[in-house]
Amino acid sequence: MPSGQPMGASGSQPPPRQAAPSAPDAPRPVEMLVEPKLIRDPRLRALVGMDQKALDRATRAGDFRMVAVVLRSLLAGVVWDAALQRRREIKLQGTPDSWAMPDVIEALLGDSLGHADVLQVANLDRCGELMHPPAQLARPQVINRETVDAFRSLVRTIAAHLVGAAAPSR
């Protein structure tokens, strides 16, 4: 066979190349609750961005437990960013890991949240225990679509108060 000529299975021409399947369009995010660029602290901005992506994955997977955990983390990023900016004004002592999220939200928002929202903040804050089996044995939590929808609405509301604007709901 002359050189430069491609060889197929039995010395014949190779089969024609098939076009690669077109990549499906990337799925749109489920919802952008907080625009990361609105977060001032660069560490928290990065965490909020990662949390947005994790929220999207957990929502698509239908994992309500993980959605609740990520919503808690997302809210903490927003709240801690605002608290760090107003730390002296709201008289926060110690390091951020020693602050209780419901107390910080109350200090930041005062009477802006209704009683039902204050109770939901406490419920969402407890979602950190969802990843801790002994806590679930002692204080079980049930997370379903309605719970997650309420938490999502709460995060959207608090973010709107603290960062000035939440991304529109999709």
Side-chain angles (χ1 to χ4, degrees), residues 92-132:
L92 288 173
Q93 302 291 320
T95 59
D97 63 328
S98 68
W99 303 341
M101 188 160 51
D103 295 341
V104 175
I105 291 172
E106 183 180 353
L108 288 167
L109 297 179
D111 296 332
S112 298
L113 291 181
H115 181 68
D117 287 336
V118 171
L119 294 175
Q120 278 294 76
V121 165
N123 289 333
L124 181 55
D125 191 44
R126 278 194 55 225
C127 286
E129 295 178 355
L130 288 170
M131 303 303 286
H132 188 63

Side-chain angles (χ1 to χ4, degrees), residues 30 33 51 54-74 124 127 130-131 143-145 147-149 151-152 155:
V30 173
L33 286 176
D51 284 345
L55 178 61
D56 186 62
R57 289 189 304 272
T59 300
R60 287 183 192 285
D63 186 345
F64 299 134
R65 181 181 71 126
M66 191 55 67
V67 168
V69 169
V70 175
L71 284 170
R72 178 188 183 271
S73 180
L74 187 59
L124 181 55
C127 286
L130 288 170
M131 303 303 286
I143 305 295
N144 56 30
R145 182 176 307 280
T147 309
V148 164
D149 289 346
F151 287 159
R152 200 181 295 267
V155 171

